């Protein structure tokens, strides 16, 4: 073999190894990404209202390109979806609705799914969480391969929404039963949940919606305002990234937030991480107000888990830079009082049980004392009759004449 042949062989070998290494790195990276995205989707699913069933779909090439066909799990279709072909609605996180055709025989979404996929720029590796909020309507949450902080904030809002339902109903939500299955016509993993028992009555949910009684749209701010310059509610504007987002709130929420800010003499959101989506910031602010209202309305009968959920949510908001330490401090005091109240009730119950046990013991002692007194009296009589001669007397009677 000549020198040139040897050099050529070594170059080709090096290129081959490089291609193999690149392929390995790609597979490893894709695996890590898929796991991270699926974990986020499972988090979102776990915090959806358990009154309605939900499922998770991992996007394959056939779902987002070419045929644009989305097969659904057979178990989910048979138990929760219509029994005949019909049009269904997919509502995204912004509230926009899309019409899709559901085919019973194939248990999947056909016509209209392509438009939804293209409109949301779905890619292979993205994950969609489908929440069946009505018999023919899915609320769809999208978790993308390249996740951002916005997903974490949205997840926080879902968790808070779940906790607020706990406050309104005084009940605990049941965790969805998560199963793993496969579609009949595909081998891609599908996760779905079915609810064992509905526990939340959403008609009783008194939380305030962001979209009611809103004013003009989001606009640029002419200047950055220090809270010390705010002299009244008329001077109060909510600024995020140089934008006035007052239109994202009802007048009621604006007033409630103004009162909270006045109480702390600062904008509670002024230290939030830069670059967060305005709507997500509005959601954080609105949920902070809801927690503040829930704290005000809390009673000793409010479940302890509700307090823990509020504190956990506020802690996540605090991590984003929201000034909610004063609310967490109030929660801490309330939880201490709740613990003392609970211990007081337990002590009262223990006292009542102990008194009842004492009465039983006193009655038993009186009975035993009475028995001892009776026995003492009998023993004294025996002694008076010279009990030591009883045996001789017994033998005398036994041997006496007939």
């Amino acid at each position: 073999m000549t020198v040139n042949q040897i050099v050529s062989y070594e170059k080709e070998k090096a290129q081959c190894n490089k291609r193999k290494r690149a392929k390995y790195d790609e597979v490893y990276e894709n695996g890590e990404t898929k796991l991270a995205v699926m974990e986020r989707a499972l988090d979102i699913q776990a915090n959806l209202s358990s009154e309605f069933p939900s499922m998770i779909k991992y996007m394959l090439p056939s779902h987002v390109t070419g045929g644009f066909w989305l097969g659904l799990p057979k178990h989910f279709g048979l138990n929760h979806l219509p029994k005949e072909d019909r049009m269904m609605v997919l509502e995204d996180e912004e509230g926009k609705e899309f019409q899709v055709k559901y085919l019973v025989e194939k248990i999947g979404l056909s016509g209209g799914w392509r438009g939804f996929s293209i409109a949301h720029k779905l890619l292979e590796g993205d994950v969609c969480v489908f929440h069946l909020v009505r018999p023919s309507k899915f609320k769809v949450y999208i978790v993308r391969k390249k996740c951002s902080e916005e997903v974490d904030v949205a997840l926080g809002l879902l968790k808070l929404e779940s906790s607020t339902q706990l406050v309104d109903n005084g009940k605990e939500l049941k965790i969805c039963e998560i199963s793993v299955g496969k579609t009949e016509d595909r081998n891609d993993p599908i996760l779905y949940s079915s609810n064992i028992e509905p526990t939340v009555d959403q008609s009783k949910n008194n939380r305030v919606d962001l979209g009611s009684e809103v004013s003009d749209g989001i606009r640029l701010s002419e200047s950055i305002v220090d809270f010390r310059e705010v002299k009244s509610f008329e001077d109060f504007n909510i600024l995020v990234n140089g934008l006035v987002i007052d239109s994202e709130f009802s007048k009621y929420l604006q007033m409630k937030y103004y009162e909270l800010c006045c109480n702390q003499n600062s904008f509670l959101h002024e230290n939030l991480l830069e670059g967060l989506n305005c709507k997500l910031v509005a959601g954080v602010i609105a949920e902070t107000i809801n927690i503040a209202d829930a704290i005000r309305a809390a009673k000793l009968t409010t479940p302890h888990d509700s307090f823990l959920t509020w504190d956990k949510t506020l802690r996540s908001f605090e991590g984003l830079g929201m000034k909610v330490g004063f609310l967490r401090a109030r929660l801490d005091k309330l939880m201490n009082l709740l613990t003392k109240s609970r211990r007081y009730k337990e002590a009262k119950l223990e006292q009542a049980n102990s008194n009842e046990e004492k009465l039983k013991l006193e009655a038993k002692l009186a009975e035993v004392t009475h028995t001892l007194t009776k026995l003492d009296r009998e023993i004294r009589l025996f002694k008076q009759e010279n009990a030591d001669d009883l045996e001789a007397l017994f033998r005398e009677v036994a041997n006496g004449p007939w």
Side-chain angles (χ1 to χ4, degrees), residues 312-379:
K312 184 177 180 181
T313 304
L314 289 176
R315 185 167 66 249
S316 67
F317 288 175
E318 200 170 35
L320 293 175
M322 194 74 175
K323 294 181 180 180
V324 291
F326 70 102
L327 292 176
R328 294 191 64 201
R330 179 68 60 86
L331 278 174
D332 186 60
K333 291 181 180 179
L334 290 176
M335 283 191 284
N336 286 335
L337 291 173
L338 187 65
T339 300
K340 290 181 180 179
S341 173
R342 183 179 300 168
R343 180 53 195 154
Y344 171 74
K345 292 178 181 179
E346 291 174 352
K348 292 285 288 183
L349 180 60
E350 290 177 9
Q351 183 186 50
N353 291 336
S354 297
N355 284 332
E356 184 179 353
E357 187 68 21
K358 179 183 175 182
L359 292 175
K360 291 180 180 179
L361 291 174
E362 288 176 345
K364 184 66 175 178
L365 178 62
E367 181 182 350
V368 172
T369 302
H370 175 73
T371 301
L372 287 174
T373 302
K374 180 179 179 182
L375 292 173
D376 287 341
R377 187 166 52 250
E378 290 181 6
I379 290 173

Side-chain angles (χ1 to χ4, degrees), residues 56-324:
I56 291 177
K57 280 289 293 184
Y58 183 85
M59 294 294 104
L60 297 175
S62 58
H63 301 150
V64 296
T65 59
F68 287 97
W69 161 259
L70 186 69
L72 304 179
K74 182 178 180 180
H75 178 274
F76 190 92
L78 294 177
N79 285 278
H80 305 294
L81 295 179
K83 305 304 180 183
E84 58 184 14
D85 293 354
R86 70 165 60 178
M87 297 302 295
M88 297 187 67
V89 175
L90 302 182
E91 180 184 339
D92 62 20
E93 295 161 90
E94 300 296 329
K96 188 175 181 180
E97 296 184 348
F98 296 78
Q99 296 285 333
V100 295
K101 183 65 175 292
Y102 172 66
L103 302 178
V104 175
E105 186 176 349
K106 294 185 176 181
I107 309 182
L109 304 180
S110 180
W113 169 250
R114 180 177 185 275
F116 181 89
S117 177
I118 293 176
H120 294 85
K121 300 179 180 179
L122 293 179
L123 299 174
E124 176 187 359
D126 292 343
V127 174
C128 291
V129 182
F130 292 84
H131 195 202
L132 190 65
V133 296
R134 293 181 186 174
S136 297
K137 182 177 181 179
F138 280 113
K139 177 74 175 180
V140 184
Y141 300 89
I142 300 172
V143 183
R144 305 195 182 272
K145 287 192 297 184
K146 296 183 178 180
C147 296
S148 65
E149 291 175 339
E150 294 180 2
V151 175
D152 295 327
V153 176
L155 178 58
L157 299 184
L158 280 172
K159 290 181 178 179
L160 183 55
E161 183 177 354
S162 175
S163 71
T164 309
Q165 291 172 342
L166 287 176
V167 179
D168 293 334
N169 296 279
K171 301 178 181 178
E172 292 186 1
L173 295 180
K174 292 190 175 182
I175 302 300
C176 295
E177 179 186 10
I178 301 177
S179 308
V180 178
K182 295 182 179 180
T183 53
E184 285 186 315
D185 56 340
R186 303 208 175 276
N187 293 322
D188 56 308
I190 298 172
L191 291 92
Y192 58 88
S193 69
S194 57
N195 304 302
I196 300 174
E197 180 181 355
T199 59
V200 179
D201 183 2
Q202 289 187 331
S203 64
K204 297 180 181 179
N205 194 326
N206 296 322
R207 298 175 65 251
V208 181
D209 294 329
L210 267 65
S212 60
E213 301 178 11
V214 295
S215 56
D216 296 335
I218 296 176
R219 64 183 188 277
L220 288 172
S221 173
E222 296 178 357
S223 61
I224 298 177
V225 179
D226 190 285
F227 190 80
R228 289 172 295 184
E229 301 174 12
V230 178
K231 304 302 181 183
S232 66
F233 179 67
E234 285 68 26
D235 302 330
F236 183 73
N237 289 309
I238 305 173
L239 274 65
V240 176
N241 300 326
L243 299 174
V244 178
I245 64 169
D246 293 356
S247 62
E248 295 298 307
F249 304 89
S250 66
K251 288 296 182 183
Y252 171 81
L253 286 181
Q254 291 180 47
M255 179 60 73
K256 296 291 290 187
Y257 188 51
Y258 171 70
E259 292 172 356
L260 287 175
C261 291
C262 286
N263 180 268
Q264 299 302 304
N265 198 30
S266 66
F267 292 106
L268 303 187
H269 67 283
E270 63 184 3
N271 293 330
L272 280 174
L273 298 175
E274 294 183 3
L276 290 179
N277 183 282
C278 291
K279 289 186 178 294
L280 291 175
V281 173
V284 170
I285 293 174
E287 299 298 354
T288 300
I289 296 169
N290 281 328
I291 290 182
D293 284 346
I295 292 174
R296 289 288 193 190
K299 301 177 181 179
L300 286 175
T301 54
T302 301
H304 187 260
D305 287 346
S306 297
F307 291 93
L308 294 177
T309 303
W310 297 337
D311 185 67
K312 184 177 180 181
T313 304
L314 289 176
R315 185 167 66 249
S316 67
F317 288 175
E318 200 170 35
L320 293 175
M322 194 74 175
K323 294 181 180 180
V324 291

Side-chain angles (χ1 to χ4, degrees), residues 18-36:
K18 185 177 181 180
R19 287 193 297 270
K20 288 181 179 180
R21 182 61 190 175
K23 183 65 175 178
Y24 173 80
D25 291 342
E26 180 183 355
V27 171
Y28 180 80
E29 181 181 358
N30 289 343
E32 292 289 311
T33 302
K34 180 177 180 180
L35 179 62

Side-chain angles (χ1 to χ4, degrees), residues 1-11:
M1 183 179 290
T2 65
V3 174
N4 290 336
Q5 288 176 326
I6 294 175
V7 172
S8 177
Y9 172 76
E10 291 297 331
K11 285 183 178 180

